[in-house]
Amino acid sequence: MVDTAPKPKRALECPHFPPCAGCPLIPVPYLEQLDSKRRVLMEALQPMLPAGVTADSVVSSTVPSTRLQGYRNQARLVFRQMSRGGHPHMGLGMYSPGTHQVIHIPNCPIQPDRLNNVAATIVRLAEEMNFTSYDERAGEGCLRYLALRCDRTRRAVLVTLIVGEDVGAPLRQLAERIRELHPEVVGVALHQNRRHSNVLFAGEDLWTIGATRLDDEIGSFRIPISPRSFLQVNHEQAEWIYGRLADVLAPVGDAAAPSEVAEPEIVLDLYSGVGGIALHLARPGRLVVGVESSAEAVEDARRAAHRNGVANVRFVPADVASFLRDPSGHGVDLSGRRIAAIVMNPPRVGCGREVMEAIAALAPERIAYVSCRAFSLVRDLEILGAAYAVQESRPVDMIPLTPHVESVTVMRRVEVAVEVAPSEVVPD
């Protein structure tokens, strides 16, 4: 008997799925994806909640992405020599899962048309100019990766060519041709990377033709973005997170005018990136200190603060653990200061024990954790022990059509004495 029941509509139609597995949840209706991500966060948080408190009561519904098609503001693709009808041609795409086989993706629907068009032009020019692609096994060849970024308006694009071999003048000619054919490309940079790894930027910046930064916009702030600076791939979802943090971490009660405050309260923004969160948290009567290990991102953040006229923020180029061990050694005196809140937005591996113990010792009134991995979030929050209670947790669909679960969890201090959980109860 033939099943004639209507099938649930796919979240997105994509000509490359399968074999491309970059968006594995494409066949799943979008509302189901949102529900699933909430369940992942609920199941992760439930074991650490006090008796009588259910995850359902603290985990809100997933914030949906405002768009599924063209939502990404950046693309990272692999050059590879391929065969078409028995003839070699230059391809550009993504690795097949678990392999180094590249799937040619000429028009990715989750990337803006502007990025797809620039990528197509680069492939065509590379073929016309007889460029070789990098051979990982032989460790030779020229074009290796392509990194593209666009601003929120999709009007400006920054291109980075990542090569295994610098062949000199032809690469400059390629860059000039890209800019000639695409006036929206504000800058083309060359980065040489000969290392045997999948890390794109693992070598040396050689030159840039045009702008070195993209003039971007996040919320009401103008922020310069460098090729390697971290910014979430979904502008609208990043803005939702920054705005939510500004609301829930607003000064308690009416904010006093700066002249009425003897000493401003301190807010720490750890893993601060290009400063988007710090700028949103800057309010009268407080000083926001951003800590970021990438010197390039710190430079972007400082430029952003200056450009937007925000004076009550400081950005410190330092490893977060090193900074927390000795803030004064990094020019920040926290002794006797009121820590109103600490925000952290760490990479997937999370903060780790040393950082979380240092945060607990500072005893901030509130803690906000922006997480991109539920396991790391729970492992880190458990280190705080019973001193902090989850006030709210909200999954955010930052990378639609994938299992990725971004979340914002806010905790408040419930005890004056901080009790740190024993090391052995927290897995590495």
Side-chain angles (χ1 to χ4, degrees):
M1 181 176 179
V2 178
D3 182 8
T4 58
K7 301 294 188 295
K9 185 180 179 181
R10 284 186 171 197
L12 181 74
E13 293 301 322
C14 176
H16 310 299
F17 178 86
C20 176
C23 304
L25 299 186
I26 277 180
V28 181
Y30 191 53
L31 290 179
E32 290 184 23
Q33 295 183 35
L34 298 178
D35 289 342
S36 174
K37 293 184 180 188
R38 180 177 185 248
R39 288 195 300 272
V40 168
L41 189 59
M42 288 172 57
E43 290 171 5
L45 286 174
Q46 186 61 67
M48 65 166 288
L49 297 177
V53 178
T54 65
D56 186 63
S57 67
V58 297
V59 179
S60 305
S61 59
T62 305
V63 178
S65 179
T66 57
R67 63 174 107 185
L68 300 183
Q69 190 158 338
Y71 73 84
R72 290 187 66 92
N73 56 38
Q74 53 192 279
R76 295 187 170 189
L77 302 167
V78 188
F79 286 104
R80 187 59 53 87
Q81 208 70 29
M82 297 182 175
S83 177
R84 181 194 299 132
H87 300 286
H89 74 101
M90 181 69 73
L92 187 65
M94 293 178 59
Y95 290 123
S96 178
T99 76
H100 274 216
Q101 178 183 350
V102 176
I103 302 168
H104 182 50
I105 305 176
N107 189 32
C108 177
I110 66 170
Q111 292 171 187
D113 290 340
R114 183 141 286 179
L115 292 190
N116 285 325
N117 293 339
V118 170
T121 295
I122 292 172
V123 170
R124 178 173 60 81
L125 290 174
E127 280 197 292
E128 291 175 0
M129 299 173 70
N130 295 316
F131 277 98
T132 61
S133 62
Y134 183 75
D135 186 326
E136 295 171 314
R137 289 169 296 185
E140 57 187 33
C142 183
L143 298 178
R144 189 169 184 180
Y145 302 113
L146 175 66
L148 304 172
R149 304 190 81 135
C150 64
D151 67 345
R152 193 186 193 285
T153 65
R154 309 304 199 242
R155 293 174 185 164
V157 176
L158 204 60
V159 173
T160 304
L161 300 169
I162 300 165
V163 299
E165 179 185 353
D166 178 10
V167 296
L171 283 166
R172 287 186 176 272
Q173 292 167 9
L174 174 60
E176 289 164 356
R177 288 285 287 141
I178 294 168
R179 296 198 68 205
E180 178 186 334
L181 294 171
H182 289 278
E184 68 271 24
V185 175
V186 297
V188 180
L190 184 70
H191 180 90
Q192 185 173 19
N193 175 7
R194 300 183 63 86
R195 296 189 184 182
H196 294 286
S197 75
N198 292 339
V199 179
L200 271 68
F201 295 99
E204 178 185 6
D205 295 326
L206 300 183
W207 47 255
T208 299
I209 294 177
T212 59
R213 287 171 168 79
L214 197 66
D215 188 20
D216 209 348
E217 181 178 316
I218 305 174
S220 59
F221 296 102
R222 304 294 299 181
I223 298 180
I225 306 292
S226 303
R228 282 180 282 186
S229 292
F230 172 77
L231 177 67
Q232 283 95 343
V233 300
N234 191 325
H235 272 98
E236 288 82 1
Q237 298 300 80
E239 288 176 355
W240 189 92
I241 290 174
Y242 299 171
R244 184 58 185 162
L245 290 172
D247 289 341
V248 298
L249 299 180
V252 178
D254 295 331
S259 59
E260 299 171 354
V261 179
E263 200 169 36
E265 67 179 21
I266 299 291
V267 173
L268 297 182
D269 177 17
L270 307 180
Y271 312 94
S272 55
V274 295
I277 291 176
L279 294 175
H280 280 77
L281 294 179
R283 299 288 181 88
R286 69 168 38 162
L287 171 65
V288 182
V289 179
V291 183
E292 168 60 47
S293 61
S294 168
E296 189 174 34
V298 168
E299 185 178 350
D300 288 344
R302 288 172 174 170
R303 287 172 181 247
H306 177 74
R307 178 175 299 179
N308 291 279
V310 180
N312 57 328
V313 292
R314 288 186 57 189
F315 294 100
V316 179
D319 172 76
V320 169
S322 172
F323 171 83
L324 292 175
R325 279 195 298 270
D326 182 21
S328 61
H330 294 279
V332 180
D333 184 9
L334 298 180
S335 57
R337 299 294 298 272
R338 173 173 173 252
I339 310 294
I342 294 180
V343 180
M344 62 278 276
N345 183 14
R348 281 179 56 84
V349 294
C351 298
R353 171 160 289 277
E354 181 181 1
V355 168
M356 294 307 297
E357 287 181 345
I359 289 171
L362 289 171
E365 295 168 16
R366 288 170 290 177
I367 292 174
Y369 194 126
V370 181
S371 168
C372 57
R373 186 178 179 223
F375 170 79
S376 302
L377 166 72
V378 172
R379 180 204 63 195
D380 285 345
L381 294 186
E382 283 181 334
I383 298 172
L384 299 174
Y388 288 86
V390 176
Q391 187 174 334
E392 66 171 67
S393 188
R394 190 83 184 262
V396 179
D397 198 19
M398 180 65 69
I399 310 181
L401 314 174
T402 76
H404 177 97
V405 180
E406 192 99 357
S407 62
V408 181
T409 302
V410 180
M411 306 187 77
R412 57 182 176 81
R413 195 177 69 205
V414 294
E415 297 180 7
V416 175
V418 175
E419 296 181 7
V420 177
S423 301
E424 58 268 22
V425 301
V426 181
D428 184 70

